[in-house]
Amino acid sequence: MAEPRNCSECNDSLYGQQFILKEELPHCIKCYETLYCDNCIACKQLIGCASKDVLFKNQHWHGKCFLCTRCNQSLVDQPFATRDDLLLCSACYCDEFSAKCHACLRVITPGSKKMEHKGFSWHENCFTCKLCQETIGTRSFVQKEANNYCLICYEKTFALQCFHCMKPIISGGVNYRDQPWHKECFVCSKCKQQLAGRRFTSRDDLAYCFDCFCNLFSKKCAYCTTPINGLGGSKYISFNEVQWHKECFNCKKCCVSLVGRGFLTCNNDIFCPDCGKGI
């Protein structure tokens, strides 16, 4: 193939000159750079044919301009990262943005295994029990005053013992009569339902849920036979040691309310004076 004599753009002679073929057409260096070379995103100057062109995310840099924004180290053929469109070498990125170990205060490099809890991070080998210094790993632990303890050390050192089962209380304890209880151990003496977070009362040193206490110890309405518990300040009527809910104190026959009115009784039934005639 004969050597081309002239540039296909400017028609200057290429005899004895460097040239570049583009789509089989010869171009002198000047025309080729003007038509096809890009400007450096950093220095805004043309990246000539003699310069290294670094391409990243459709943007171009001179090789000498492809630098870490923080330390100015060359990133050519080196691992790097970006943050807010800034180029950073791995060391600067880790120092600026990676989590630091709560124990040794060193950077936890991306990709390395780390442990996290309540906003803090640790190297896997730094995540240890404050007392025995054993690595906690994925085992259960308790955090107290910013220190981590394996369950065995925590139970020996800090945990209260449940008044009922005498086992350590790790979390979710209940205090009753100045005694610590597990939530699951603090139950109604009758129905055995947990009492934590529920209305309850006690009798003879035994705790009862409200329903069981009413069924066991409250007076019963002579009409509906359900307990009269006084919940919400409700009132009741008492006569000759017999009690009624206020809303149940009605004539047995005509059902008219007898609250504040005269009435007659027959056994545990009550009647208004009109219906009571002839009883």
Side-chain angles (χ1 to χ4, degrees):
M1 180 177 179
E3 183 176 319
R5 295 184 178 182
N6 299 94
C7 172
S8 60
E9 289 294 322
C10 66
N11 206 34
D12 283 353
S13 174
L14 296 177
Y15 183 75
Q17 303 295 321
Q18 289 184 326
F19 65 92
I20 298 175
L21 289 175
K22 179 71 174 180
E23 297 177 355
E24 298 185 0
L25 296 176
H27 294 74
C28 66
I29 299 300
K30 181 179 180 180
C31 287
Y32 182 87
E33 291 179 341
T34 301
L35 291 172
Y36 302 112
C37 290
D38 295 282
N39 288 332
C40 174
I41 194 69
C43 69
K44 312 302 181 185
Q45 300 298 312
L46 186 73
I47 303 173
C49 295
S51 299
K52 186 176 182 65
D53 185 350
V54 179
L55 175 64
F56 177 67
K57 289 187 176 180
N58 295 320
Q59 293 181 320
H60 296 260
W61 286 260
H62 289 106
K64 63 181 181 180
C65 295
F66 195 60
L67 308 173
C68 172
T69 305
R70 186 175 177 187
C71 69
N72 289 325
Q73 174 184 325
S74 174
L75 300 179
V76 177
D77 298 326
Q78 298 297 323
F80 66 93
T82 60
R83 182 73 175 233
D84 299 328
D85 294 329
L86 299 178
L87 299 171
L88 295 165
C89 66
S90 295
C92 288
Y93 182 88
C94 291
D95 186 57
E96 188 75 21
F97 301 109
S98 293
K100 293 180 175 58
C101 176
H102 188 61
C104 70
L105 304 182
R106 296 177 180 175
V107 170
I108 302 174
T109 57
S112 62
K113 191 169 184 178
K114 67 177 179 178
M115 311 301 293
E116 295 181 315
H117 180 66
K118 292 186 176 179
F120 294 107
S121 301
W122 291 263
H123 293 108
E124 184 180 21
N125 292 334
C126 293
F127 191 59
T128 59
C129 172
K130 175 70 174 178
L131 294 179
C132 69
Q133 298 300 310
E134 291 291 330
T135 301
I136 294 174
T138 58
R139 293 181 297 156
S140 297
F141 68 98
V142 179
Q143 189 175 71
K144 182 179 177 65
E145 297 176 355
N147 294 314
N148 301 316
Y149 300 88
C150 66
L151 289 186
I152 295 176
C153 289
Y154 182 84
E155 290 173 1
K156 289 180 179 179
T157 309
F158 302 107
L160 297 172
Q161 287 188 330
C162 175
F163 182 73
H164 175 72
C165 69
M166 303 307 295
K167 294 181 180 180
I169 300 174
I170 304 303
S171 63
V174 175
N175 189 50
Y176 175 64
R177 292 190 171 181
D178 295 327
Q179 299 290 348
W181 300 64
H182 290 113
K183 282 185 177 181
E184 56 270 24
C185 292
F186 187 57
V187 298
C188 173
S189 298
K190 175 66 176 176
C191 69
K192 306 305 179 185
Q193 294 295 311
Q194 290 188 26
L195 296 177
R198 298 179 60 190
R199 188 197 307 265
F200 70 93
T201 187
S202 63
R203 181 161 176 161
D204 300 329
D205 293 330
L206 298 177
Y208 298 90
C209 69
F210 189 73
D211 290 340
C212 287
F213 183 86
C214 290
N215 288 329
L216 290 171
F217 305 113
S218 294
K219 300 179 184 298
K220 305 295 191 297
C221 175
Y223 176 74
C224 69
T225 70
T226 59
I228 300 173
N229 54 38
L231 183 64
S234 61
K235 297 180 180 180
Y236 66 95
I237 311 297
S238 180
F239 179 74
N240 286 346
E241 297 185 358
V242 181
Q243 291 78 32
W244 295 263
H245 292 108
K246 184 177 179 180
E247 59 273 17
C248 294
F249 194 62
N250 304 321
C251 174
K252 176 71 173 180
K253 188 173 183 181
C254 69
C255 297
V256 66
S257 174
L258 298 177
V259 177
R261 299 178 58 184
F263 60 91
L264 301 173
T265 63
C266 180
N267 297 323
N268 286 338
D269 296 327
I270 55 174
F271 299 88
C272 65
D274 291 337
C275 294
K277 294 176 182 179
I279 296 176

